[in-house]
């Protein structure tokens, strides 16, 4: 297994973990209807989409910076959810 294949394997594993975390928080949102859990769920689904895109592009190529917008949005959602929860 070369580095490219190993990286794709890791991207797939991280994508699967992100989807599992998104489903986990979605389950709690359905029970409580708390916006905190919904934002966390959406953030993890965004991280899964980012990893899905990385599977199909060369990760060494820095030209694809638009992919990191998904990560930025996800972390902004997590930060916003934590701030909003602590203000309430």
């Amino acid at each position: 297994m070369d580095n490219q294949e190993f990286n794709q394997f890791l991207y797939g594993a991280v994508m699967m973990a992100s989807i599992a975390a998104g489903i986990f928080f979605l389950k709690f949102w359905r029970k409580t209807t708390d916006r905190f859990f919904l934002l966390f769920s959406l953030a993890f689904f965004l991280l899964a989409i980012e990893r899905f895109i990385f599977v199909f592009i060369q990760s060494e190529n820095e030209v694809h910076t638009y992919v990191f917008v998904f990560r930025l949005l996800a972390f902004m959602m997590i930060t916003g959810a934590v701030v909003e929860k602590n203000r309430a």
Side-chain angles (χ1 to χ4, degrees):
M1 182 181 283
D2 65 354
N3 278 346
Q4 180 70 22
E5 290 174 348
F6 186 69
N7 283 341
Q8 287 181 340
F9 172 77
L10 288 179
Y11 291 150
V14 171
M15 181 182 73
M16 183 181 67
S18 296
I19 290 172
I23 291 171
F24 180 77
F25 284 112
L26 191 63
K27 180 181 132 188
F28 282 108
W29 174 73
R30 289 183 64 189
K31 280 185 180 178
T32 64
T33 64
D34 190 352
R35 186 178 155 95
F36 175 80
F37 295 121
L38 177 64
L39 289 174
F40 262 64
S41 175
L42 291 175
F44 279 104
F45 286 132
L46 279 176
L47 290 174
I49 290 170
E50 179 217 13
R51 292 300 164 175
F52 181 75
I53 293 171
F54 266 127
V55 170
F56 296 106
I57 64 172
Q58 299 288 333
S59 62
E60 294 85 21
N61 194 347
E62 297 286 331
V63 174
H64 303 288
T65 55
Y66 63 88
V67 177
F68 294 105
V69 171
F70 288 101
R71 188 180 302 176
L72 176 66
L73 289 174
F75 286 121
M76 287 175 62
M77 290 176 85
I78 290 172
T79 303
V82 170
V83 168
E84 182 180 299
K85 187 71 173 179
N86 286 323
R87 292 174 85 192

